[in-house]
PDB file of all heavy atoms in Angstrom:
ATOM      1  N   ARG J 313      10.887  54.024  42.967  1.00  0.00           N
ATOM      2  CA  ARG J 313      10.202  52.788  43.321  1.00  0.00           C
ATOM      3  C   ARG J 313       8.779  52.761  42.739  1.00  0.00           C
ATOM      4  O   ARG J 313       8.336  51.758  42.206  1.00  0.00           O
ATOM      5  CB  ARG J 313      10.138  52.700  44.844  1.00  0.00           C
ATOM      6  CG  ARG J 313       9.931  51.328  45.405  1.00  0.00           C
ATOM      7  CD  ARG J 313      10.024  51.400  46.923  1.00  0.00           C
ATOM      8  NE  ARG J 313       9.044  52.322  47.461  1.00  0.00           N
ATOM      9  CZ  ARG J 313       7.781  51.984  47.735  1.00  0.00           C
ATOM     10  NH1 ARG J 313       7.378  50.764  47.512  1.00  0.00           N
ATOM     11  NH2 ARG J 313       6.940  52.863  48.237  1.00  0.00           N
ATOM     12  N   ILE J 314       8.092  53.907  42.856  1.00  0.00           N
ATOM     13  CA  ILE J 314       6.721  53.963  42.370  1.00  0.00           C
ATOM     14  C   ILE J 314       6.675  53.764  40.860  1.00  0.00           C
ATOM     15  O   ILE J 314       5.835  53.041  40.330  1.00  0.00           O
ATOM     16  CB  ILE J 314       6.078  55.310  42.759  1.00  0.00           C
ATOM     17  CG1 ILE J 314       6.000  55.413  44.274  1.00  0.00           C
ATOM     18  CG2 ILE J 314       4.691  55.442  42.137  1.00  0.00           C
ATOM     19  CD1 ILE J 314       5.509  56.745  44.769  1.00  0.00           C
ATOM     20  N   GLY J 315       7.635  54.391  40.177  1.00  0.00           N
ATOM     21  CA  GLY J 315       7.686  54.250  38.729  1.00  0.00           C
ATOM     22  C   GLY J 315       7.877  52.793  38.325  1.00  0.00           C
ATOM     23  O   GLY J 315       7.244  52.302  37.393  1.00  0.00           O
ATOM     24  N   ARG J 316       8.750  52.100  39.063  1.00  0.00           N
ATOM     25  CA  ARG J 316       8.976  50.688  38.739  1.00  0.00           C
ATOM     26  C   ARG J 316       7.705  49.878  38.977  1.00  0.00           C
ATOM     27  O   ARG J 316       7.371  48.991  38.191  1.00  0.00           O
ATOM     28  CB  ARG J 316      10.134  50.144  39.579  1.00  0.00           C
ATOM     29  CG  ARG J 316      11.490  50.625  39.109  1.00  0.00           C
ATOM     30  CD  ARG J 316      12.601  49.727  39.630  1.00  0.00           C
ATOM     31  NE  ARG J 316      12.642  49.686  41.101  1.00  0.00           N
ATOM     32  CZ  ARG J 316      13.266  50.590  41.852  1.00  0.00           C
ATOM     33  NH1 ARG J 316      13.886  51.603  41.287  1.00  0.00           N
ATOM     34  NH2 ARG J 316      13.266  50.485  43.158  1.00  0.00           N
ATOM     35  N   ALA J 317       7.002  50.208  40.054  1.00  0.00           N
ATOM     36  CA  ALA J 317       5.744  49.501  40.324  1.00  0.00           C
ATOM     37  C   ALA J 317       4.735  49.778  39.216  1.00  0.00           C
ATOM     38  O   ALA J 317       4.026  48.879  38.747  1.00  0.00           O
ATOM     39  CB  ALA J 317       5.189  49.933  41.679  1.00  0.00           C
ATOM     40  N   MET J 318       4.678  51.046  38.767  1.00  0.00           N
ATOM     41  CA  MET J 318       3.754  51.401  37.679  1.00  0.00           C
ATOM     42  C   MET J 318       4.022  50.564  36.444  1.00  0.00           C
ATOM     43  O   MET J 318       3.111  50.029  35.810  1.00  0.00           O
ATOM     44  CB  MET J 318       3.925  52.892  37.321  1.00  0.00           C
ATOM     45  CG  MET J 318       3.195  53.846  38.254  1.00  0.00           C
ATOM     46  SD  MET J 318       3.870  55.535  38.149  1.00  0.00           S
ATOM     47  CE  MET J 318       3.681  55.892  36.417  1.00  0.00           C
ATOM     48  N   MET J 319       5.321  50.454  36.111  1.00  0.00           N
ATOM     49  CA  MET J 319       5.662  49.713  34.889  1.00  0.00           C
ATOM     50  C   MET J 319       5.455  48.216  35.079  1.00  0.00           C
ATOM     51  O   MET J 319       5.108  47.503  34.143  1.00  0.00           O
ATOM     52  CB  MET J 319       7.094  50.033  34.475  1.00  0.00           C
ATOM     53  CG  MET J 319       7.186  51.420  33.837  1.00  0.00           C
ATOM     54  SD  MET J 319       8.853  51.831  33.325  1.00  0.00           S
ATOM     55  CE  MET J 319       9.457  52.713  34.748  1.00  0.00           C
ATOM     56  N   ALA J 320       5.674  47.749  36.315  1.00  0.00           N
ATOM     57  CA  ALA J 320       5.445  46.327  36.582  1.00  0.00           C
ATOM     58  C   ALA J 320       3.970  45.996  36.349  1.00  0.00           C
ATOM     59  O   ALA J 320       3.634  44.965  35.766  1.00  0.00           O
ATOM     60  CB  ALA J 320       5.835  45.994  38.019  1.00  0.00           C
ATOM     61  N   ILE J 321       3.087  46.903  36.769  1.00  0.00           N
ATOM     62  CA  ILE J 321       1.650  46.679  36.555  1.00  0.00           C
ATOM     63  C   ILE J 321       1.345  46.645  35.065  1.00  0.00           C
ATOM     64  O   ILE J 321       0.608  45.790  34.578  1.00  0.00           O
ATOM     65  CB  ILE J 321       0.829  47.787  37.245  1.00  0.00           C
ATOM     66  CG1 ILE J 321       0.935  47.642  38.743  1.00  0.00           C
ATOM     67  CG2 ILE J 321      -0.625  47.743  36.790  1.00  0.00           C
ATOM     68  CD1 ILE J 321       0.228  48.727  39.518  1.00  0.00           C
ATOM     69  N   ARG J 322       1.968  47.566  34.327  1.00  0.00           N
ATOM     70  CA  ARG J 322       1.727  47.628  32.889  1.00  0.00           C
ATOM     71  C   ARG J 322       2.170  46.333  32.209  1.00  0.00           C
ATOM     72  O   ARG J 322       1.453  45.770  31.399  1.00  0.00           O
ATOM     73  CB  ARG J 322       2.496  48.814  32.301  1.00  0.00           C
ATOM     74  CG  ARG J 322       2.442  48.891  30.773  1.00  0.00           C
ATOM     75  CD  ARG J 322       3.510  49.846  30.249  1.00  0.00           C
ATOM     76  NE  ARG J 322       4.851  49.343  30.538  1.00  0.00           N
ATOM     77  CZ  ARG J 322       5.964  50.049  30.341  1.00  0.00           C
ATOM     78  NH1 ARG J 322       5.909  51.281  29.897  1.00  0.00           N
ATOM     79  NH2 ARG J 322       7.134  49.527  30.618  1.00  0.00           N
ATOM     80  N   ASP J 323       3.369  45.861  32.586  1.00  0.00           N
ATOM     81  CA  ASP J 323       3.956  44.738  31.858  1.00  0.00           C
ATOM     82  C   ASP J 323       3.445  43.394  32.332  1.00  0.00           C
ATOM     83  O   ASP J 323       3.328  42.459  31.549  1.00  0.00           O
ATOM     84  CB  ASP J 323       5.479  44.778  31.986  1.00  0.00           C
ATOM     85  CG  ASP J 323       6.045  46.033  31.353  1.00  0.00           C
ATOM     86  OD1 ASP J 323       5.392  46.547  30.427  1.00  0.00           O
ATOM     87  OD2 ASP J 323       7.105  46.505  31.796  1.00  0.00           O
TER      88      ASP J 323
END
Side-chain angles (χ1 to χ4, degrees):
Chain J
R313 201 175 58 85
I314 296 174
R316 286 199 300 276
M318 279 161 57
M319 284 180 266
I321 291 177
R322 174 195 65 189
D323 297 333

